[in-house]
Amino acid sequence: MSPGGIPGQSRPSRPAGRYVPARGIYTEPARLQRLDWFRSVTRLGLGSLQHTRLDAGRLTGNIEGFVGTVEVPVGVAGPLLFSGENVQGEIYAPMATTEGALVSSATRGALAVTMAGGVSTRAVSQTMTRAPVFAFSRLPAADRFASAILRHLDDLRTAIRHVSHHAELVSVEPVVLGRTVHLRFRYTTGDAAGQNMTTACTWHACQWILEQPHLVGDEELESFIIEGNTSGDKKASSQAMADGRGIRVSADCLLPEGIVERVLKTTADELVRGYQHIAAGAVHSGVLGSNANTANMVAAVFTATGQDIACVHESSVGQFILERTPDGVYASMTLPGLAVGTVGGGTHLPTQHELLEAMGCTGPGSAARLAEIIAGFALALDLSTVSAAVSGQFASAHERLGRNRPVRWFRLDELDAPFFAAALSSEMPGAEVTSVEAVDIPMGPSVLSELTSRTVKKAVGLFPMQLRVDHDGVEQKLDVMVKVKPTDREVIKMAGTAAALCGGPVATHYRRFDQRLGFVGCDVRELALYEQTDTRFTSLVPKPYRTYRDDRREAYVIVMECLGGMERMDTSDNARGWSRRHLGIALRDLGQLHSVWYGKEPALRRMPWIGHVPNAADMAEMKDLWLALADHSAHEFPELVDGRHHDRLVSCIGTVDRWWPQIEAMPRTLVHNDFNPRNIAIRADGRLCAYDWELATLHIPQHDLAELLCTALEPADINATVVGELSEVHRRSLETHARTAIDRGRWESGYRLALRDLAVNRFGLYFVAHTVRHYGFLEQWWRNLWALIDLAEAADGS
């Protein structure tokens, strides 16, 4: 018999010029040869497949036609405290996944369970099934075979022992369907998952059956197939749910009400009520079992530890249960058929084996340990997921950017020569832009632009460009900065997503008041301000060349000078190092900026771009949000927001209806409302340059003063002398440029109130953003704020 052919036939020749790579050669040269062939077929470089840490010689039985490996990110969830039959103590679970927030969600659930005393786990049983099918001529023959086979269980076990000493045949169950008989072989397989092992054992058992004339008859058996699809192999089935295929494992825990509220950001009643709705939906839609997110945990751990990933279908069928208790919530997870093993398959691969070792899942009995770990973390993940769903941490439908009409968004390739020629037309009439080139300039974008750019698919942010301009026969280079702004809806949605991740009351109350937090109109406000002509304003902001607005395309674009050669400009995470001289310049020129609208409150309110103006009635009505922000800050960042800070915040919030009317009664103006070292610079000629005006609003001028001092003062300079001198620079400058007298005592009173307002409002929202994106500057800003509050209250005698 010729290789690969049939007796009497020669092997077909390969087509001329076509290379067919050898499939079964497990060497590195053979891998590279196959990879080269694959490159020639795809006409791609496939450079990512060139190198691999795996030894091709050790992959026999794992893969054929080996050409390379795929990397999957691995995160570590936990710790989760176990009190199980096979696992005790704190365990970390490796999760291989590309789904963002999954590891964090599992870790949050693990934290809640661990704080509550841990999870109890038990591997109840193990079974692996294989179900061959025998087809007979007629039903009587099939029925005789089904009745007779049960008398030969010991004979089948003897045949199986010739193949494996690890597989133990527990039972054989015949199922007659017309003239066919499906035999469900049930095994225990030790620490192996056992799919391949039981296939081999069952094959040999069936060979023994086929050799027994009294069982199959001379003419009665027509055909035999090793798997008739009644074992549930790699499929979710009600049979697997009831009987299990793999390790049946359960986990449970008790969560006190306080931990549900503090960690899971919901209440026990809301959690159980939400679970009931989800469970009812599962029944209605015919889902096997009822769980929220088990497949994610099973797939992530399977991928990380070398399991058969195709078995996720059957292995993630699970029953998640929540019950209300007098003190909180009882939670359990049962996985009836977790097809896992710690030997065989891909468990011997280097990374997978190391991750099994990290969980203590090597050696005898380790398969049951792994099953308990997966069940415990599946319970933790489902707790976190259902909590997120019921507490608003999943984005609500009205917060999504779904649209009923297509939007032709502004594209970066529209930043071409004609676009910039139009931008320069007023200052350089007749100028021709001969080239446009994007340049790379290190910079720190604004908090709003940075966070929003992660949630929208269109181009948003800062884009530095270098233009070559021919003007009156002279060619010159011009550096410009293009700011493409998100819509106010996108900013509100982005902030809502961050609030949703905080969960509980923060998510709930943000949705109530999201139109009153200063974001409405942030897309058009900055464009309108760069169109102002008052030199008191234009001399202290970046030079604008053009604003472009098209509401139908959601296009809000500013072309301005690209700031360079600044004496002081710091947009890094740690925006410190501003000297008292620099602060004096900033506050002197801030007084000039504030003078433009000082005492013109009615006119400013009529501006179509001003947006929602903060007021005392709103601040009082929004107490629930301010309290939620204070609680969240203290719970999530106790190293920053200690008990003293939290108590004082709560006190300020409790009296906001008494002190905010004092702010409203004071002279107000247009304030920058984000006046910190990330958004201001000092030019080489000693002038302020303030940018990022999207949050500008009507407020007392001391608001910007207080914000700059708490974000830029060195801690050593927080004393009565320095703060008093800098405050006076601002007050006197505003007096001069507004041509009006400003009472110093009333000015200082407004400054103290502005500090309170920052603590209650602005910093609460900063901590929400800090939850999803670490801001290195926030710690010092927060400590400075309270040092300034202490100093102000000491001076006031309060």
Side-chain angles (χ1 to χ4, degrees):
M1 181 175 181
S2 56
I6 301 174
Q9 291 185 343
S10 61
R11 188 171 182 170
S13 61
R14 296 172 178 165
R18 181 181 180 189
Y19 167 66
V20 180
R23 298 290 178 187
I25 301 177
Y26 292 89
T27 66
E28 181 63 7
R31 180 187 78 84
L32 293 174
Q33 185 183 22
R34 283 189 292 268
L35 180 56
D36 286 342
W37 166 80
F38 193 33
R39 285 170 173 149
S40 70
V41 170
T42 61
R43 298 182 181 179
L44 297 173
L46 303 178
S48 62
L49 295 175
Q50 180 67 29
H51 302 287
T52 176
R53 292 178 58 242
L54 297 184
D55 179 0
R58 298 190 61 192
L59 296 180
T60 304
N62 289 119
I63 196 167
E64 301 76 41
F66 177 49
V67 296
T69 53
V70 173
E71 283 192 273
V72 179
V74 176
V76 178
L80 176 58
L81 179 62
F82 280 82
S83 176
E85 186 177 37
N86 294 281
V87 55
Q88 296 85 35
E90 290 190 344
I91 298 294
Y92 292 87
M95 298 175 64
T97 181
T98 56
E99 181 174 342
L102 186 63
V103 175
S104 294
S105 185
T107 296
R108 184 177 76 143
L111 173 63
V113 174
T114 298
M115 290 176 62
V119 60
S120 300
T121 55
R122 183 167 182 258
V124 179
S125 61
Q126 184 207 40
T127 181
M128 181 53 62
T129 60
R130 185 57 65 200
V133 56
F134 295 80
F136 293 86
S137 56
R138 294 296 300 276
L139 173 60
D143 186 61
R144 286 194 298 272
F145 173 77
S147 300
I149 196 67
L150 294 177
R151 297 192 293 270
H152 294 279
L153 188 58
D154 288 339
D155 296 319
L156 295 173
R157 286 174 175 154
T158 300
I160 287 167
R161 289 192 191 102
H162 292 298
V163 182
S164 173
H165 295 292
H166 299 288
E168 292 288 338
L169 181 61
V170 176
S171 64
V172 176
E173 177 188 353
V175 177
V176 179
L177 297 176
R179 64 191 182 101
T180 63
V181 179
H182 294 258
L183 291 184
R184 296 188 69 238
F185 284 69
R186 298 171 61 87
Y187 299 87
T188 60
T189 56
D191 287 312
Q195 292 99 314
N196 293 335
M197 179 192 302
T198 54
T199 297
C201 291
T202 304
W203 173 262
H204 280 268
C206 290
Q207 296 308 303
W208 181 86
I209 292 172
L210 295 174
E211 295 171 356
Q212 312 305 312
H214 67 286
L215 290 176
V216 297
D218 291 334
E219 302 292 338
E220 293 176 327
L221 181 65
E222 292 186 351
S223 64
F224 148 76
I225 304 174
I226 188 59
E227 175 57 62
N229 218 19
T230 59
S231 70
D233 185 13
K234 297 179 174 63
K235 302 166 190 71
S237 67
S238 56
Q239 179 175 271
M241 182 72 189
D243 298 338
R245 183 176 184 272
I247 297 177
R248 185 180 185 89
V249 59
S250 293
D252 75 353
C253 67
L254 286 169
L255 296 177
E257 177 101 33
I259 290 176
V260 173
E261 293 177 355
R262 178 175 177 182
V263 182
L264 299 179
K265 309 297 185 182
T266 185
T267 67
D269 287 336
E270 288 176 344
L271 182 59
V272 173
R273 187 182 306 116
Y275 156 77
Q276 290 170 341
H277 295 323
I278 293 170
V283 172
H284 176 74
S285 59
V287 173
L288 293 174
S290 177
N291 63 79
N293 217 9
T294 306
N296 261 323
M297 179 56 65
V298 172
V301 178
F302 271 29
T303 305
T305 59
Q307 308 301 312
D308 188 339
I309 301 173
C311 290
V312 168
H313 288 84
E314 55 190 304
S315 296
S316 59
V317 171
Q319 189 68 50
F320 176 57
I321 295 173
L322 289 182
E323 299 175 18
R324 188 68 164 94
T325 67
D327 300 323
V329 175
Y330 168 81
S332 72
M333 173 67 74
T334 297
L335 302 177
L338 198 55
V340 294
T342 53
V343 297
T347 62
H348 72 93
L349 299 177
T351 301
Q352 289 84 336
H353 187 72
E354 286 181 0
L355 293 177
L356 285 169
E357 282 187 313
M359 292 185 287
C361 292
T362 57
S366 54
R369 177 184 175 91
L370 177 59
E372 291 187 21
I373 290 172
I374 293 174
F377 274 94
L379 173 62
L381 180 59
D382 260 30
L383 279 168
S384 182
T385 302
V386 175
S387 298
V390 302
S391 66
Q393 296 165 70
F394 274 69
S396 300
H398 70 273
E399 292 175 324
R400 297 174 187 159
L401 294 177
R403 296 177 174 86
N404 294 323
R405 58 178 177 83
V407 177
R408 188 169 62 88
W409 287 321
F410 185 84
R411 305 184 314 276
L412 292 184
D413 60 13
E414 295 179 60
L415 297 173
D416 53 14
F419 180 91
F420 288 109
L424 301 178
S425 61
S426 60
E427 182 171 334
M428 305 169 66
E432 179 185 358
V433 178
T434 59
S435 72
V436 178
E437 182 181 357
V439 294
D440 186 16
I441 299 176
M443 55 190 170
S446 70
V447 172
L448 289 184
S449 294
E450 179 186 19
L451 291 177
T452 308
S453 65
R454 302 180 182 189
T455 63
V456 297
K457 297 179 180 180
K458 60 186 180 182
V460 168
L462 299 173
F463 304 95
M465 302 281 182
Q466 186 174 86
L467 313 180
R468 288 186 179 273
V469 182
D470 188 335
H471 185 227
D472 294 335
V474 179
E475 187 174 84
Q476 59 182 292
K477 292 180 181 179
L478 180 64
D479 292 328
V480 299
M481 181 66 70
V482 181
K483 185 172 187 178
V484 183
K485 298 176 63 61
T487 67
D488 58 355
R489 295 193 314 276
E490 290 163 342
V491 172
I492 292 168
K493 185 260 183 182
M494 171 278 301
T497 299
L501 290 172
C502 297
V506 171
T508 300
H509 298 306
Y510 173 85
R511 289 196 299 274
R512 290 174 58 196
F513 302 116
D514 61 5
Q515 302 296 305
R516 304 190 217 175
L517 293 172
F519 301 134
V520 174
C522 65
D523 44 9
V524 300
R525 188 177 306 125
E526 188 170 23
L527 273 68
L529 286 173
Y530 278 115
E531 293 167 357
Q532 301 299 301
T533 58
D534 192 311
T535 56
R536 288 175 295 174
F537 182 83
T538 59
S539 63
L540 298 175
V541 300
K543 179 179 181 178
Y545 293 106
R546 180 185 184 184
T547 60
Y548 173 80
R549 174 179 174 180
D550 187 335
D551 293 336
R552 293 171 303 173
R553 300 187 61 198
E554 300 180 354
Y556 306 96
V557 184
I558 304 168
V559 182
M560 66 188 90
E561 68 171 304
C562 188
L563 299 179
M566 297 288 122
E567 182 178 330
R568 185 64 188 151
M569 183 174 179
D570 190 350
T571 56
S572 65
D573 244 8
N574 187 17
R576 304 301 314 286
W578 280 61
S579 70
R580 287 163 61 180
R581 172 179 167 273
H582 292 132
L583 292 174
I585 293 172
L587 291 170
R588 178 200 69 195
D589 291 348
L590 179 63
Q592 177 179 316
L593 285 170
H594 285 161
S595 71
V596 176
W597 293 96
Y598 191 70
K600 302 176 182 177
E601 182 175 323
L604 186 57
R605 284 183 177 274
R606 288 194 295 271
M607 292 296 104
W609 43 262
I610 190 62
H612 180 79
V613 173
N615 58 77
D618 278 351
M619 290 297 294
E621 186 183 351
M622 295 165 72
K623 277 185 180 181
D624 287 341
L625 176 60
W626 310 137
L627 287 170
L629 293 174
D631 291 344
H632 167 76
S633 303
H635 288 158
E636 295 298 323
F637 307 104
E639 70 282 3
L640 290 181
V641 187
D642 57 24
R644 170 178 169 270
H645 291 152
H646 181 258
D647 291 344
R648 294 178 69 185
L649 268 177
V650 170
S651 177
C652 282
I653 295 166
T655 58
V656 70
D657 53 346
R658 296 203 296 269
W659 56 265
W660 227 95
Q662 299 175 47
I663 292 178
E664 200 165 24
M666 293 180 175
R668 289 187 281 177
T669 186
L670 182 79
V671 298
H672 183 281
N673 201 27
D674 203 11
F675 199 71
N676 60 67
R678 290 171 61 89
N679 301 322
I680 62 176
I682 303 297
R683 294 185 185 274
D685 62 1
R687 286 182 299 130
L688 170 71
C689 182
Y691 42 93
D692 285 348
W693 285 84
E694 51 255 340
L695 294 180
T697 190
L698 176 67
H699 212 300
I700 57 175
Q702 297 95 318
H703 184 281
D704 283 346
L705 165 66
E707 183 166 16
L708 181 62
L709 293 183
C710 77
T711 59
L713 262 181
E714 295 291 341
D717 286 335
I718 299 179
N719 58 70
T721 300
V722 172
V723 172
E725 289 176 354
L726 292 172
S727 177
E728 273 297 280
V729 168
H730 184 207
R731 186 186 69 84
R732 287 197 299 266
S733 174
L734 181 54
E735 267 189 337
T736 299
H737 290 285
R739 298 179 182 179
T740 185
I742 300 174
D743 180 76
R744 182 171 179 176
R746 196 177 188 197
W747 176 266
E748 292 175 350
S749 176
Y751 163 70
R752 288 191 292 272
L753 293 172
L755 287 171
R756 287 189 193 179
D757 187 51
L758 284 171
V760 169
N761 183 339
R762 173 56 55 81
F763 276 85
L765 295 173
Y766 271 144
F767 278 112
V768 169
H770 193 54
T771 303
V772 298
R773 199 279 196 197
H774 177 78
Y775 289 107
F777 57 79
L778 186 56
E779 178 176 356
Q780 192 57 60
W781 289 10
W782 175 253
R783 299 194 189 285
N784 279 4
L785 171 69
W786 284 100
L788 290 167
I789 291 175
D790 289 341
L791 186 65
E793 291 182 351
D796 186 44
S798 58

